[in-house]
Amino acid sequence: MMISTQLFAVLIVFVMHLSNAQFGLPKQKVGEVQVDADGTVGENMAGVSLALVNLLSKAEKEAGGTLKISHEDVLAIDGLIKHAVEDPETKILIQKMKVMQRDVIEETIGETTPLKIINNLKAVLEELMALEILFEDKDRAFRAMEKDGMIDKKRIPEYRKNPGLLEEDTRRSLYFSFISMAVVGQLM
């Protein structure tokens, strides 16, 4: 299914809550994620996994000291990662991915920067959140995705009969993208 990039373009219209909060310095703004220039973690990062804090710190340095990501997005990313590593099915998926796709993962790790990983995790998170809004009316969501050519032509009859399946498949695809990027970011 060719969903990810096109889906984000359609769904972004429905999501108006995207954050412009800054990650990092200056520390005066309330609600920001804080990782100081020396790499120490601000108080509001308590409970966030150390691997994610380290990745955020590297991404912030790569971005020149300011990484635009809300504290809520960091907590959501961290929460989804924590949920994923506790889910038995996802654990198996991750183990298989690390074994069967080892070369691809290692190559991707070498080519992908911390900033790209954080930005991709945030983008997929936003797409997952936007699904909630888009699929409030499953039939309308199907029609919009079909109109924009986002559905594999072979699956249109199946999704027309059951737009809930389209939602499930889309959610599963985005979840897999999130998990894959978290593995590349060595967060799992």
Side-chain angles (χ1 to χ4, degrees):
M1 214 169 12
M2 44 184 272
I3 289 181
S4 189
T5 306
Q6 293 175 338
L7 177 62
F8 185 68
V10 169
L11 298 178
I12 200 71
V13 173
F14 297 104
V15 180
M16 302 311 287
H17 72 279
L18 300 180
S19 171
N20 289 327
Q22 292 181 347
F23 171 79
L25 303 175
K27 289 171 48 172
Q28 292 83 347
K29 294 185 180 176
V30 177
E32 289 183 353
V33 177
Q34 299 172 2
V35 177
D36 299 337
D38 64 358
T40 59
V41 178
E43 289 179 21
N44 64 351
M45 291 293 280
V48 175
S49 74
L50 185 57
L52 181 56
V53 170
N54 288 336
L55 186 64
L56 287 164
S57 181
K58 290 175 185 176
E60 181 183 44
K61 288 175 186 171
E62 183 183 342
T66 303
L67 181 61
K68 292 190 176 191
I69 186 168
S70 71
H71 183 250
E72 292 79 18
D73 285 346
V74 171
L75 294 177
I77 289 168
D78 189 59
L80 190 51
I81 290 170
K82 286 176 180 173
H83 170 76
V85 297
E86 293 174 5
D87 178 60
E89 290 179 19
T90 305
K91 278 184 186 179
I92 293 169
L93 172 71
I94 293 167
Q95 290 170 350
K96 286 181 179 179
M97 186 186 310
K98 286 181 175 181
V99 171
M100 297 171 69
Q101 300 294 321
R102 186 173 149 217
D103 294 339
V104 173
I105 292 170
E106 288 175 3
E107 182 180 330
T108 307
I109 288 170
E111 295 173 355
T112 305
T113 68
L115 183 58
K116 286 181 182 177
I117 293 168
I118 293 298
N119 286 339
N120 284 331
L121 288 171
K122 182 180 175 199
V124 173
L125 176 69
E126 290 168 352
E127 289 180 37
L128 283 166
M129 293 179 348
L131 283 181
E132 298 300 322
I133 296 166
L134 178 65
F135 281 96
E136 283 178 352
D137 181 340
K138 292 175 183 12
D139 291 322
R140 186 189 80 212
F142 166 78
R143 288 189 306 273
M145 291 174 72
E146 180 184 29
K147 179 182 174 188
D148 289 340
M150 297 168 55
I151 301 174
D152 182 354
K153 291 188 187 313
K154 295 175 189 170
R155 306 246 5 229
I156 288 175
E158 180 181 13
Y159 289 146
R160 183 173 284 122
K161 288 179 187 173
N162 185 1
L165 180 60
L166 175 62
E167 178 183 12
E168 290 173 27
D169 287 350
T170 304
R171 188 176 310 282
R172 197 175 358 252
S173 174
L174 289 172
Y175 183 71
F176 181 77
S177 294
F178 183 91
I179 298 302
S180 298
M181 190 52 56
V183 168
V184 168
Q186 300 174 352
L187 301 171
M188 301 181 159

